[in-house]
Amino acid sequence: MPIPEDVTGEEIDKDVRQELQSLPKGLAEDVAKNLVMVARLIDEEPERAYGYSKVALRLASRVAAVREAAGFAAYATQKYSEALAEFRAARRMTGTVELWPVMADCERGLGRPEKALEMAGAPEVHKLDKAGQVEMRLVAAGARRDMDQLDAAIVTLQSPELASNSVQPWTARLRYAYADALLAAGRRSEAREWFAKAVEADRDSSTDASDRLAELDGVEFVDALDEDEDVVAEDERPVDGKADDQD
């Protein structure tokens, strides 16, 4: 797959670059460039990111960072079985537990919420950092919802992190998930309150909390371009509904 000229491979994280030092220099550069493309495209063009991840995997399947990138690219394209296999491989190579929540979410994607809940109660969770533990809580709540256990999902999300007034990277998503669970359970007024709190914390627009809040408030947004077109159409409409006579 083509690599844009502005991609040098130097853009990757220094820890990943260090991992690639085990490869011959030319090969390491090629792998690095493909990993840069994965990171660049995974949010907006996940299928293309997946393609670049497969190239990197073919070149350096024994590098943990490559297996992890391949896992996230597969996950982004909902290839959950493939993603889970890659995450497991990366975990075997590194021995870390950082991928535990996303591995559990892959189990959800494969229609196995019970397995995700089992992983949420495993000893590995206690080894996660705060962000990882919050992520695991989100996955567990999602698994409860998969099983139509709405009240249990709500309880799962109730935590010190949810109650805290400080804004952390996970705060908006946690509040959003809680609001969404409340709404699914028919607790509309509480849901509105928590969607509003999610908006307050969502400084980089990582959720559509503002849209959900507006929807609950009955606010409808009109596209400015469409509105302009309607005005033009109104101006061009013949008087009394009759077209001008043509000479």
Side-chain angles (χ1 to χ4, degrees):
M1 297 182 69
I3 304 288
E5 292 183 2
D6 66 316
V7 174
T8 66
E10 294 296 320
E11 301 89 341
I12 61 172
D13 184 85
K14 63 179 182 180
D15 292 334
V16 176
R17 193 181 305 118
Q18 191 169 13
E19 273 194 70
L20 296 179
Q21 287 180 355
S22 62
L23 303 173
K25 184 177 180 181
L27 179 59
E29 289 178 355
D30 289 342
V31 173
K33 289 178 181 179
N34 279 281
L35 292 181
V36 170
M37 293 305 297
V38 172
R40 218 182 240 197
L41 298 169
I42 196 165
D43 291 330
E44 301 298 329
E45 299 181 68
E47 287 292 347
R48 287 186 65 202
Y50 176 75
Y52 283 103
S53 76
K54 297 299 283 186
V55 174
L57 195 59
R58 187 173 67 248
L59 294 173
S61 62
R62 294 186 179 183
V63 176
V66 171
R67 303 302 289 265
E68 184 175 330
F72 277 110
Y75 178 80
T77 53
Q78 300 183 8
K79 298 176 177 65
Y80 297 117
S81 181
E82 186 176 335
L84 186 56
E86 296 300 340
F87 290 141
R88 283 173 174 167
R91 183 167 180 265
R92 284 195 301 270
M93 292 175 177
T94 62
T96 64
V97 297
E98 293 176 3
L99 295 171
W100 196 253
V102 72
M103 289 169 62
D105 206 39
C106 285
E107 295 288 0
R108 283 187 61 212
L110 291 168
R112 301 193 292 249
E114 298 89 349
K115 178 62 177 177
L117 287 175
E118 181 183 327
M119 293 179 69
E124 284 83 353
V125 175
H126 300 295
K127 300 176 184 177
L128 293 168
D129 61 14
K130 181 62 68 176
Q133 290 179 4
V134 170
E135 194 64 36
M136 193 72 246
R137 190 177 291 276
L138 288 167
V139 172
R144 291 292 185 189
R145 292 190 62 173
D146 293 342
M147 300 165 68
D148 293 323
Q149 299 176 359
L150 293 179
D151 289 340
I154 291 170
V155 172
T156 298
L157 292 168
Q158 291 171 346
S159 61
E161 293 80 19
L162 180 67
S164 175
N165 290 323
S166 67
V167 175
Q168 303 294 335
W170 60 76
T171 303
R173 291 179 59 238
L174 184 58
R175 291 177 180 178
Y176 182 96
Y178 189 59
D180 196 44
L182 288 168
L183 187 61
R187 295 161 62 174
R188 187 183 179 92
S189 62
E190 292 174 83
R192 190 207 174 283
E193 175 188 350
W194 282 96
F195 275 127
K197 289 182 177 181
V199 171
E200 291 174 1
D202 197 358
R203 295 167 179 170
D204 58 356
S205 300
S206 61
T207 74
D208 65 346
S210 59
D211 292 339
R212 299 292 300 277
L213 182 61
E215 183 180 344
L216 285 174
D217 288 342
V219 177
E220 292 185 11
F221 295 101
V222 177
D223 190 293
L225 183 59
D226 291 341
E227 194 174 53
D228 290 343
E229 290 175 351
D230 290 341
V231 171
V232 171
E234 182 74 27
D235 291 343
E236 293 177 350
R237 188 178 301 162
V239 177
D240 295 331
K242 298 179 181 178
D244 294 336
D245 292 335
Q246 300 294 321
D247 293 332

